[in-house]
Amino acid sequence: QVQLVESGGGSVQAGGSLRLSCVASGNIFSINAMGWYRQAPGKPREMVATIATGDVTNYKNSVSGRFTISGDFARNTVYLQMNNLKPEDTAVYYCLGSIKPTRWGQVNAFWGQGTQVTVSS
């Protein structure tokens, strides 16, 4: 089994910053990529930022320049530094890991339970 646990969410005013962390544990042979997704009430879950081996990153357009994703796959960890937060960033943020649990197994997607980020105007 693989577990992902997020931390660092909270409530801030517009213009503020938060740093999210996600740690994966359990049966992990290798990590191909990790990322952050978010879901606001009444909206579908959307990609925020991803990072793959070789530090290849990808961002949702509306967060590019404000959010920075970084990862330490040797420590099964990914971070999301969020600056200049806006009310429209309010959502539950989920960590996703694209992880190979065993040497001979397939890569699977594992999700964390989510952490709430609330930005007030």
Side-chain angles (χ1 to χ4, degrees), residues 34-90:
M34 297 186 79
W36 292 95
Y37 288 67
R38 69 187 182 188
Q39 188 167 18
K43 295 186 177 181
R45 190 173 298 189
E46 61 181 7
M47 186 275 291
V48 176
T50 61
I51 183 168
T53 52
D55 287 338
V56 178
T57 59
N58 187 34
Y59 293 93
K60 177 181 173 59
N61 285 344
S62 64
V63 308
S64 183
R66 299 188 296 122
F67 292 8
T68 302
I69 189 169
S70 59
D72 184 350
F73 288 177
R75 298 184 177 184
N76 303 334
T77 302
V78 66
Y79 306 96
L80 185 67
Q81 177 66 43
M82 305 185 293
N83 298 329
N84 190 22
L85 282 159
K86 302 177 180 181
E88 52 264 40
D89 295 319
T90 295

Side-chain angles (χ1 to χ4, degrees), residues 1-25:
Q1 294 293 337
V2 176
Q3 299 83 36
L4 279 73
V5 178
E6 304 99 334
S7 61
S11 298
V12 296
Q13 290 189 331
S17 297
L18 286 172
R19 187 178 190 235
L20 305 183
S21 300
C22 173
V23 180
S25 62

Side-chain angles (χ1 to χ4, degrees), residues 94-107:
Y94 296 91
C95 177
L96 171 69
S98 179
I99 297 171
K100 192 174 184 181
T102 63
R103 180 174 184 175
W104 308 111
Q106 295 181 338
V107 175

